[in-house]
Amino acid sequence: MQKGSRTVDSGELAVRGLDWLLAQARRTPAGGGGLSWPTRPSEREANPVLYSGAAGIVLTLLEAHQHFGANGCAVRYAEAALRAARALAVEPNGWELSSLHFGLTGRAVALRAVAVLLGDTAAGTAADRALAEARARFDGTRWAPQFDLLGGNAGIALGALAAGDPELALLAVTPYLRTAEPTPAGVTWETRAGRPARLHHVAHGTLGVVQALAAVGSATGRPELLELARAGALDVVARAEAGPAGFLVPHSDPQDLPDRNERYSYGWCNGPTGDAEVFQVLGAVSGETDWSALTDRCWHTVTRSGLPRRLRPGFWDNSGHCCGTAGVLAFALDRAVAGTEGAREFAGLLAADLAARATVDAAGARWSNTEHRSVPSALEPATGWAMGSAGIIRELLRHERLVTGRDAGYAFRWPVSGGDASSAALSPSSPR
């Protein structure tokens, strides 16, 4: 551990987090005793989506089931995942969108994971239906004003690939061939209809498109997609700052919503943590070593940024996966598995920070993010993957496996965001 950090029992903290998460579940009339979750406990409406609701929680429950193996509590997590899948299969509301993080494709990913890891054929059939409905909504270019990874084509492509539908994945990325905008160093895209700024990172920008192009191009044998991915990545690389050792690219050019968006970020969504994941993918599919050097530069910048300390109001106020500590922990765990010097210690520092920020009581463990511009600044704990407990728990479980010398991979291969970044296909991993 780094000086000043403390040893954390990540597994025990994850179990307490799972206790709280399951306590927030609500029985649904649909699906024969299915389970659903609100985004936050005070909210009445169930949230089914992958980003902040039940679909993402299902994936964490599956992770817990695989992690604990023969332990009796593993059955509890599997049963909860199955009940949640039943609700997702018939849920009538919340599927107006088709995207990975907010719509039908994320639903399909969660259902396919239940089918693969728990052998539930009904979940697999429901995943097929969700993918078919998403395909039917395609207008020939896009599904929605968003054209990015979180809400548009790139995420649908990665989700379809993970859920076993490479044809839909190819359909989703093909429009990028004709909509690419040449730049002096490569290409970029308008990732939301009518937005003048061009965003550069994974969640809403060029690198999210690059990740989808690279993954689908490799899976379907389409070299033109790989070449376009390379051109998109080179545009972003040309914008890098922080000197030759580091890697830091602005959020967007011109700056999008400057009153709300920081010019520079460090997490998965709009910073070098997510950028590194894309470079890992590019290196894996191309065999080119230059991408590994860029991943090293991202690591250099992240580990020297000051996080997870709160250096100023608004800096590092989030423990979640999308733009907070859990997403960086996923990166650190990747580096630790690869044998990077100091990565285990940095992962320990991040896990200790998550432990320090957790609220732990008789109800379990949960995390409150901070909005420094609001009074009170502590936000209500959330349940889901991106900003809530589910995404944090997943990384704490993996950290526990690393510390105890077990296989430090994941139970399944998430289509984006953390770990096993070279693969987009959902499949069970080796037994723990």
Side-chain angles (χ1 to χ4, degrees), residues 113-127:
V114 170
V116 170
L117 296 178
L118 299 180
D120 188 78
T121 57
T125 301

